[in-house]
Amino acid sequence: MSATVSMRDALYEAPGPKTRKRVLVGTAISLVLLALGIAFVIRQFYINDQLNPKYWSFFGRWTTWRFLLKGLWGTIKVAATAGVIAMALGLLLMLGRISPNKLLSSACHVITEIFRSLPSLLLIYFFFLVIPKYGIRMPSFWMITIPVSLAASGVLAEVFRAGVNAVPKGQVEAAMSLGMTHGKITRKIVLPQALKIVIPSLVSQLVVVVKDTTVAYVVSYPDLMQNARVLISNYDALVSMYFVVAIIYIAINYATNQFSVYLAHRMGTQVVSRMDENPV
Amino acid sequence: MSIQTSMPIISMRHVDKHFGQLHVLRDINLDVAKGEVVVLIGPSGSGKSTLCRTINRLETIDSGEILFEGKPLPQEGKELAAMRAEIGMVFQSFNLFAHKTILDNVTMGPVEVLHRPRKEAEAEAMELLDRVGVAAQAHKVPAQLSGGQQQRVAIARSLAMHPKAMLFDEPTSALDPEMINEVLDVMVELAGMGMTMVVVTHEMNFARRVSNRVVFMADGQIVEQNTPDEFFDHPKSERAKDFLDSIKGH
Ligand SMILES: Nc1ncnc2c1ncn2[C@@H]1O[C@H](COP(=O)(O)OP(=O)(O)OP(=O)(O)O)[C@@H](O)[C@H]1O
Ligand SMILES: [Mg+2]
């Protein structure tokens, strides 16, 4: 049994000599453009005096980094908590929606659509401005985490549902004809396969959660963005600070994506190694 | 061949069904006796699969009634599931559980539905897999098996539930020609052991050799039914003659 083909191999045929030449030329042109782009940015920084040491020297101080790291930790806490809540809630909403109970199903459908279509900022304002009016006080951590969770849960419910729909219907019918009930079929046949299918989209959705947390400043929760804003006003260093923060966000999301690639790969190889155990 | 005329195990009375505007089943009346093998035959789109699937309520019906062992099919819930557990079904596309091993596919029903102890269920599953000739593949996943092997596993999976009747919807149509016989052989053996079977198939040799009755459908209706020899050698209706001509052409 041969190993599974990677997505790349499946989508593209092996390049011939002409294609190889074209790829080479393309790569060269891209590199030149990239270098030009970087040169342009540096030039603009220079022209606008953004390379002035006063905008960068505070990055040499430990306190700056400690403050940013504290913010980063805040971001990670919110994103991780929101991610877990959103996944649990999204799963529940999806399970409700596919349930044979019509009332439960339509209720979950409506809730999913609401969470999915409301901008998370609107939900945040609701928790920040409206709810306190009715005497409900909650720490700023929850004022950002709950709305971000709710918004993401709507999307995740749809992601899970896509996974459930991707499980061949015939397997469900086979399980039904064995006399399995809806709940058993969901647990034993559908979910195990659906979850495997959705892992990559699940992780890319978590990237969106991380990005959603950047509006935490609205509720003054000290996340990475909020702390960066504090530093910006202290040092009057707008461009350099945003530049560094952007790189940190890119790094987090790159790491998240790599994790999804790793997971998908691991699950793929699991099947392969199982096949190797019992060669045909 | 004589079939006892006691109460039929499956009984369809004036069954009608639509898919939207399409009238797929028209006043279907069909009794299947215990131990009888009925072959359903007819042109594509005539409603054979639909008829087959109404018997374990994978498709609902608009009107009429279907009785299993004299009792109307339950409409939903645990009762419906319990009734389905007594009727085996084998599909054209095998429909094995892709994430489970062959052994787990066969023990799924006994363990999850009949609540048999796993050890016991596995022992019986191995016997069944042995009987259909795929015991050596027990620890593989379905994707590693040939179509013929998968279909034999699907039959073993149904048998593990000790069904009182079995439905087959074109069990060999998705198979490469050289694998058709290995599946038919298993079905012939089952029929020989007295299993009640409703089989949608175009395998005329199988129908002649094994079935007690051929039911010919067209446009959602049962047009004629007869013993296989009578039906294949002396079809009465024009539609059946045309149909037989068309499949003999192959
Ligand atoms: N779920 C469905 N929704 C709408 N129409 C359907 C559905 N299933 C089947 N049909 C239609 O009902 C008619 C009967 O279908 P059925 O599958 O029972 O025919 P069949 O005799 O099994 O044909 P085949 O030999 O092609 O399997 C066909 O015209 C088909 O297109
Ligand atoms: Mg069919």
Side-chain angles (χ1 to χ4, degrees):
Chain A
M1 195 111 256
S2 68
T4 47
V5 210
S6 80
M7 189 72 110
R8 225 196 185 78
D9 297 338
L11 287 178
Y12 306 104
E13 56 179 337
K18 263 194 195 152
T19 317
R20 274 204 295 273
K21 206 165 153 191
R22 232 181 300 137
V23 168
L24 210 67
V25 172
T27 311
I29 293 177
S30 320
L31 282 178
V32 169
L33 286 179
L34 187 68
L36 282 176
I38 292 173
F40 176 77
V41 169
I42 293 176
R43 192 182 118 90
Q44 286 300 311
F45 272 31
Y46 180 74
I47 290 174
N48 297 307
D49 196 30
Q50 287 297 337
L51 291 183
N52 190 319
K54 75 173 176 189
Y55 293 130
W56 297 90
S57 58
F58 68 95
F59 284 114
R61 274 179 236 150
W62 164 236
T63 47
T64 303
W65 287 106
R66 197 179 56 192
F67 195 56
L68 278 181
L69 282 176
K70 253 170 122 175
L72 178 61
W73 177 234
T75 292
I76 290 174
K77 267 197 301 191
V78 172
T81 313
V84 169
I85 296 177
M87 275 203 261
L89 193 57
L91 192 62
L92 284 179
L93 282 174
M94 181 279 288
L95 288 176
R97 184 152 177 204
I98 65 169
S99 112
N101 182 328
K102 289 265 156 52
L103 192 70
L104 180 64
S105 169
S106 27
C108 288
H109 184 184
V110 171
I111 297 172
T112 304
E113 287 306 317
I114 292 177
F115 286 169
R116 211 159 65 94
S117 41
L118 285 181
S120 37
L121 194 57
L122 201 101
L123 282 167
I124 291 169
Y125 276 127
F126 179 78
F127 277 81
F128 182 50
L129 300 174
V130 181
I131 287 198
K133 281 223 167 81
Y134 295 93
I136 299 169
R137 307 227 145 269
M138 58 173 84
S140 60
F141 173 79
W142 291 109
M143 274 197 250
I144 176 72
T145 303
I146 294 177
V148 168
S149 309
L150 294 186
S153 72
V155 181
L156 289 185
E158 288 297 288
V159 169
F160 284 128
R161 204 166 63 95
V164 164
N165 288 340
V167 176
K169 188 131 189 306
Q171 289 184 40
V172 174
E173 291 187 342
M176 281 160 81
S177 57
L178 287 178
M180 291 170 74
T181 52
H182 173 81
K184 273 239 160 87
I185 296 173
T186 306
R187 260 180 297 131
K188 298 283 173 180
I189 309 298
V190 177
L191 278 188
Q193 299 185 72
L195 293 182
K196 221 172 183 173
I197 296 169
V198 301
I199 281 179
S201 0
L202 217 55
V203 178
S204 44
Q205 218 39 58
L206 291 183
V207 169
V208 176
V209 170
V210 173
K211 290 205 273 184
D212 269 0
T213 61
T214 50
V215 282
Y217 68 85
V218 173
V219 299
S220 316
Y221 178 75
D223 77 330
L224 178 58
M225 198 66 175
Q226 166 68 7
N227 284 7
R229 286 161 59 92
V230 171
L231 289 172
I232 286 169
S233 57
N234 287 355
Y235 294 100
D236 189 27
L238 186 76
V239 176
S240 59
M241 194 67 233
Y242 275 151
F243 188 77
V244 170
V245 167
I247 287 177
I248 297 178
Y249 274 112
I250 291 172
I252 300 176
N253 287 337
Y254 180 75
T256 315
N257 274 327
Q258 284 307 107
F259 179 65
S260 107
V261 172
Y262 161 80
L263 262 188
H265 183 75
R266 227 184 80 122
M267 304 208 118
T269 46
Q270 242 178 20
V271 175
V272 173
S273 60
R274 230 168 135 172
M275 289 181 175
D276 292 343
E277 274 168 36
N278 313 288
V280 177
Chain B
M1 254 173 266
S2 78
I3 289 296
Q4 63 203 70
T5 45
S6 61
M7 180 186 72
I9 185 166
I10 298 164
S11 180
M12 304 178 75
R13 299 254 162 279
H14 303 295
V15 170
D16 269 275
K17 178 175 179 69
H18 292 78
F19 280 122
Q21 295 293 310
L22 188 67
H23 202 164
V24 272
L25 295 181
R26 298 167 188 257
D27 192 30
I28 297 291
N29 290 282
L30 181 69
D31 282 346
V32 179
K34 199 160 170 39
E36 194 179 12
V37 177
V38 172
V39 161
L40 277 181
I41 198 167
S44 177
S46 56
K48 308 176 297 288
S49 297
T50 308
L51 189 156
C52 202
R53 291 160 55 86
T54 58
I55 296 174
N56 65 356
R57 218 166 198 283
L58 285 182
E59 300 287 354
T60 56
I61 57 177
D62 298 342
S63 60
E65 66 175 350
I66 300 177
L67 309 174
F68 183 69
E69 294 191 304
K71 293 183 292 284
L73 297 189
Q75 311 237 324
E76 60 194 351
K78 289 215 156 50
E79 298 75 26
L80 176 59
M83 183 279 298
R84 282 180 178 149
E86 303 193 323
I87 303 176
M89 177 134 194
V90 176
F91 302 83
Q92 180 174 351
S93 48
F94 332 133
N95 296 344
L96 295 182
F97 307 131
H99 62 309
K100 293 283 180 190
T101 63
I102 296 309
L103 184 62
D104 288 345
N105 264 273
V106 180
T107 56
M108 179 69 76
V111 170
E112 297 297 332
V113 178
L114 306 177
H115 306 291
R116 301 261 310 273
R118 182 170 293 277
K119 276 262 142 47
E120 209 180 295
E122 282 182 354
E124 194 190 335
M126 285 309 298
E127 277 170 33
L128 285 168
L129 288 173
D130 192 40
R131 214 169 103 197
V132 298
V134 284
Q137 329 287 331
H139 298 286
K140 291 181 184 168
V141 290
Q144 292 171 274
L145 271 59
S146 73
Q149 290 173 326
Q150 289 192 52
Q151 194 60 299
R152 285 181 281 153
V153 173
I155 295 174
R157 176 174 67 178
S158 284
L159 288 176
M161 297 296 290
H162 299 286
K164 293 176 176 164
M166 287 183 77
L167 311 171
F168 294 80
D169 188 4
E170 303 207 29
T172 58
S173 298
L175 298 176
D176 292 336
E178 75 271 19
M179 295 176 186
I180 290 177
N181 280 331
E182 64 192 48
V183 171
L184 289 179
D185 288 346
V186 173
M187 292 169 62
V188 171
E189 194 197 320
L190 270 181
M193 289 168 44
M195 177 63 77
T196 308
M197 295 162 69
V198 174
V199 187
V200 179
T201 184
H202 292 167
E203 294 296 329
M204 286 197 285
N205 284 333
F206 173 84
R208 267 191 202 268
R209 196 147 56 106
V210 177
S211 77
N212 304 105
R213 181 159 44 126
V214 174
V215 173
F216 175 73
M217 282 185 81
D219 295 329
Q221 278 172 310
I222 294 180
V223 177
E224 67 174 278
Q225 43 183 317
N226 217 327
T227 60
D229 289 338
E230 271 302 304
F231 175 77
F232 288 118
D233 298 336
H234 310 289
K236 294 194 189 74
S237 63
E238 282 306 312
R239 301 225 42 174
K241 282 178 197 158
D242 289 349
F243 176 73
L244 287 175
D245 284 345
S246 75
I247 58 172
K248 271 173 195 152
H250 286 280

